[in-house]
Amino acid sequence: TGLMLSLGLLVYRGMRPRAALLGLHADGTYRDRERFGLAHPHPELVILRFDSPLSFVTAATFEDAMLGAARAQDSVRIVLVSAAGINDIDATGLHTLAGLIERFNAQSQKIAFCGLKKQVIDAMERDGVWARIQAQASYRTEHHALDALLPELTPRQAEAE
């Protein structure tokens, strides 16, 4: 009975991975903005951290999180995925990602990635997804990504004044 309960709990937790929108913390790291009361990094950009492999078990949760991130602010143009927690991707995850790329492109939005692991990039290369996102997916950290992506966006109101 204990074994079955443990396996059931493992599957349940696997189906509900953690996804969080991030903001810049006072210590210079990007953290859960809801937990720490942080602002989005820019009115047109949000950062989503996904802490799970992207597989048939978690693909729907990832898709929901991405669509929610795209609506997190009125004028989101870029959703940056902080992908250090994604250590594997399967065919369902690749299919979901390809669909999201098409959907975002149709809405004049971009998906960018930072912190992708080599094994995830290798799977994306084999599937052909990598060629479609490589220009926005080779960033190592959130800071690196923002340095490259923010110049594409309109200045914040405070910066313009």
Side-chain angles (χ1 to χ4, degrees):
T1 303
L3 178 62
M4 294 305 288
L5 287 174
S6 293
L7 286 174
L9 184 59
L10 181 69
V11 170
Y12 176 75
R13 285 184 181 158
M15 292 175 66
R16 300 187 50 171
R18 182 149 163 54
L21 294 175
L22 307 182
L24 184 60
H25 191 270
D27 68 3
T29 61
Y30 284 89
R31 297 193 183 186
D32 185 334
R33 58 178 301 280
E34 188 175 303
R35 181 175 181 197
F36 293 99
L38 305 171
H40 287 288
H42 190 279
E44 297 177 353
L45 183 142
V46 297
I47 303 173
L48 172 72
R49 185 182 65 221
F50 191 73
D51 294 331
S52 174
L54 187 47
S55 67
F56 72 97
V57 176
T58 62
T61 303
F62 179 74
E63 184 173 25
D64 291 345
M66 288 293 290
L67 296 175
R71 294 185 308 267
Q73 300 187 98
D74 290 337
S75 58
V76 173
R77 290 181 43 208
I78 300 173
V79 174
L80 173 62
V81 180
S82 179
I86 302 174
N87 60 5
D88 194 20
I89 189 167
D90 69 5
T92 303
L94 289 165
H95 178 74
T96 300
L97 182 55
L100 285 167
I101 291 167
E102 289 177 22
R103 185 172 183 168
F104 275 55
N105 286 341
Q107 297 171 177
S108 298
Q109 293 176 311
K110 279 188 195 177
I111 299 174
F113 287 88
C114 66
L116 279 171
K117 293 188 169 41
K118 176 75 169 114
Q119 63 269 24
V120 175
I121 293 171
D122 291 345
M124 289 178 175
E125 286 175 336
R126 287 190 299 272
D127 192 67
V129 172
W130 183 249
R132 296 168 62 192
I133 64 166
Q134 181 177 4
Q136 298 90 240
S138 297
Y139 308 114
R140 294 308 315 143
T141 66
E142 293 89 356
H143 292 287
H144 182 216
L146 291 174
D147 286 345
L149 296 170
L150 288 181
E152 298 178 26
L153 303 174
T154 56
R156 287 181 178 261
Q157 288 293 2
E159 294 172 359
E161 294 174 355

